[in-house]
Amino acid sequence: MEILISNHSDKPLYEQISTQIKAQIMDGTLFPGQALPSMRALARDLHLSVITVQRAYEDLTRDGFLETVTGKGSFVAAQNTAFIREEQLRLAEEHLQEAAQIGRRHGISYDQLAKILRLFYEE
């Protein structure tokens, strides 16, 4: 499992970890039942506090991406396809919202943006 941390990002460190783990689960890099590194091991590898990694794992567990078994560790949760689809839809909405804001700020019409989206979608 590869996680890259940036001290220059405006996202908190725990959020950078959870976002990257979510992405790896959603794209199939991490699969259901796969064990994740212990919090201590990941904290050591990333040169972070265990508390930071703990927060990321707690958020991922709360959101249904991880299951934690006391004494055994954290594992990728069985994938709920409806949940994964909803998460992907939310991600697409964020990007589309950003595209719409750029379009409004710079005078790009809705029709032009829709045409661009159609080209990318049909690619």
Side-chain angles (χ1 to χ4, degrees):
M1 180 173 78
E2 186 175 333
I3 295 181
L4 303 173
I5 298 297
S6 171
N7 291 324
H8 302 292
S9 173
D10 35 342
K11 280 188 175 181
L13 298 173
Y14 72 88
E15 192 175 324
Q16 291 179 48
I17 295 167
S18 62
T19 299
Q20 290 179 54
I21 292 174
K22 272 186 198 180
Q24 290 180 39
I25 291 170
M26 290 190 298
D27 73 13
T29 303
L30 297 174
F31 52 88
Q34 183 174 354
L36 267 64
S38 71
M39 289 181 217
R40 265 191 223 131
L42 186 57
R44 184 178 54 246
D45 290 348
L46 297 175
H47 305 289
L48 297 173
S49 160
V50 174
I51 294 170
T52 301
V53 175
Q54 179 182 9
R55 171 78 188 268
Y57 277 29
E58 286 172 352
D59 287 356
L60 289 163
T61 301
R62 181 198 65 226
D63 293 343
F65 286 93
L66 296 184
E67 295 173 345
T68 301
V69 180
T70 305
K72 293 193 177 195
S74 296
F75 301 86
V76 176
Q79 291 184 344
N80 175 341
T81 53
F83 181 76
I84 297 293
R85 179 168 163 58
E86 185 64 31
E87 188 67 21
Q88 293 287 19
L89 186 58
R90 185 192 62 74
L91 184 61
E93 287 172 355
E94 284 179 15
H95 290 292
L96 289 171
Q97 181 179 21
E98 184 178 340
Q101 289 170 347
I102 291 169
R104 282 191 301 270
R105 257 195 319 262
H106 299 286
I108 302 168
S109 73
Y110 169 80
D111 290 334
Q112 288 174 306
L113 283 176
K115 215 179 274 187
I116 293 167
L117 177 61
R118 180 174 287 117
L119 284 172
F120 285 133
Y121 194 82
E122 293 173 352
E123 217 173 48

